[in-house]
Amino acid sequence: MDLIPLYVSLKLSIATTAILTVLAAPLAYGLAFLKFPGKSFIEALINLPMALPPTVMGFYLLVIMGPKGVVGRLWESMTGGSLLFTFLGIAAASAVCSLPFALQPMKAAFQKIDRRLLENAYVLGLSRTEAFFRVIIPNSLSGIAAAAILVFLHSMGAFGIILMVGGSVPGETKVAAIAIYEAVESMNYREAGLMSLCLVPVSYIFLLIVNKLNREES
Amino acid sequence: MALRVCIKKKLNYFDLDINFSCFPEELLAMIGPSGSGKTSIIRMIAGLETPDEGRISYRDEVWFDSSQKIYVAPQKRRLGYVFQDYTLFPHLTLRENAAFATRDLKRADDLLEMFGISHLRDRKPNRVSGGERQRCAICQALARNPRALLLDEPFSALDFMNRRKLREDVKLLRDEMTFPIIYVTHDIQEAFSLADEILPVVEGKIDKGWLQRSISSTPSTGAPAKAAHATWLTLAL
């Protein structure tokens, strides 16, 4: 069995989880606590990847990240290379598509925090940022962990979007899901079966952990 | 020198319109029926709500002034505020809670000692009793040397014995501290045993007669008074 696609998948999941755990927390804070015009439009926009077919998302990301797209051009002027068909490219695409999966549990965890705890923190002299790190984050750890696991699993299973943005470059963008699809196409059922079997227990165990976290929360 | 409050705010069921001062070394008990606006007043002093108009000042600092458009954030008022129900941070031990807003760990430890909970300092709030939690909340508020202390029915959720013990603690506190203390309660006995000054608040306004009406056992007017009088006459005859 070729282990490299599994390794690429793992690397992609870890990268996406790391990016999103840091990025989604302040976004979730904004959606949970701040009032600003157009909030529901922004929230719906962020959640759009959850409702669109991955190929549609992949198509738009391909256009945006391509040599004529805004992000693609910016990237090229900065690094001289292309973002498409690279690991960085699929990591960015995967982060965009998994963002709703990080945002929802975090936002729910933040909203569950008693407002009076925050008021007490403000009266005790903490700024909003300090209260975020010293009160909100430590009291939403299980929500954050749930978000991280969901993102990890979702990026493990990403297929359409990776194929659109990354193609199938071995060792770079050929993730397990794509390798399984290609193995089936070339009638190599043994290879496809083995690789599939590797993914099932990982996903199952992580989902059990999410359940446990949810139970602890309630 | 005093904490001066002169504020108006439209609330859901009535208009709050109140004017009072609280001097250093004085304990002002704000008393009145539930839902009379006491907590709103405290929240406005703390800066968690803003009045529609008026002015709140302490010494020479103005915290709120509607005519000059001044509003000082709660963070900058340096007040101690003990809430009605438990607002200790659940992820921290009692010691970490007491020292939450100060770098002076010794001060936090001394306060825990003074309030008789230093043996519980490594426990989380959910592993101690309600009375111990509120004691710790007072330690937390005092540890950063506040300029005034606001206590909003701090013991209302506690049983009788615990309340009596904590009331004694507040008495000691009152004698030791040099800042103004505002104590909100709906318990007349508590107000009388603690306060230097009593401020009865009914529907958002000062109502000096409320206290008299609440504690007098003989009805002064109306049919019950007449009946009482008549019985007495019958007996005398």
Side-chain angles (χ1 to χ4, degrees), chain B residues 145-225:
Chain B
N145 295 322
R147 289 188 282 193
L149 186 61
L150 310 172
L151 303 166
D152 185 3
E153 302 204 25
F155 314 136
S156 61
L158 305 181
D159 60 70
F160 176 73
M161 289 305 283
N162 255 314
R163 260 161 86 159
R164 212 167 61 176
K165 266 193 266 169
L166 276 162
R167 204 187 287 166
E168 293 308 310
D169 287 344
V170 171
K171 260 189 199 163
L172 287 176
L173 198 69
R174 179 194 64 187
D175 299 336
E176 275 185 30
M177 301 301 162
T178 53
F179 46 70
I181 302 176
I182 300 183
Y183 188 99
V184 173
T185 180
H186 58 249
D187 182 336
I188 294 177
Q189 232 187 340
E190 204 162 81
F192 274 121
S193 80
L194 290 174
D196 298 304
E197 180 110 23
I198 293 183
L199 187 78
V201 178
V202 180
E203 294 199 343
K205 292 171 189 70
I206 296 175
D207 182 352
K208 290 247 158 69
W210 181 81
L211 214 53
Q212 185 62 41
R213 290 198 301 277
S214 306
I215 55 176
S216 78
S217 52
T218 44
S220 53
T221 52

Side-chain angles (χ1 to χ4, degrees), chain A residues 101-186:
Chain A
F101 295 89
L103 214 52
Q104 293 307 331
M106 278 196 202
K107 190 182 142 196
F110 292 175
Q111 277 172 334
K112 242 189 245 169
I113 289 175
D114 192 337
R115 294 287 163 122
R116 284 165 304 181
L117 282 188
L118 292 177
E119 289 184 341
N120 192 25
Y122 299 152
V123 173
L124 287 168
L126 265 68
S127 68
R128 276 174 176 269
T129 318
E130 285 170 318
F132 176 71
F133 287 110
R134 290 186 62 190
V135 180
I136 296 176
I137 295 286
N139 284 302
S140 340
L141 288 181
S142 51
I144 294 169
I149 289 174
L150 285 177
V151 167
F152 187 87
L153 291 178
H154 189 245
S155 353
M156 241 357 198
F159 175 73
I161 187 141
I162 307 293
L163 202 59
M164 296 292 269
V165 175
S168 172
V169 184
E172 181 80 16
T173 64
K174 188 171 162 185
V175 294
I178 293 173
I180 292 168
Y181 177 72
E182 286 180 355
V184 171
E185 267 207 319
S186 57

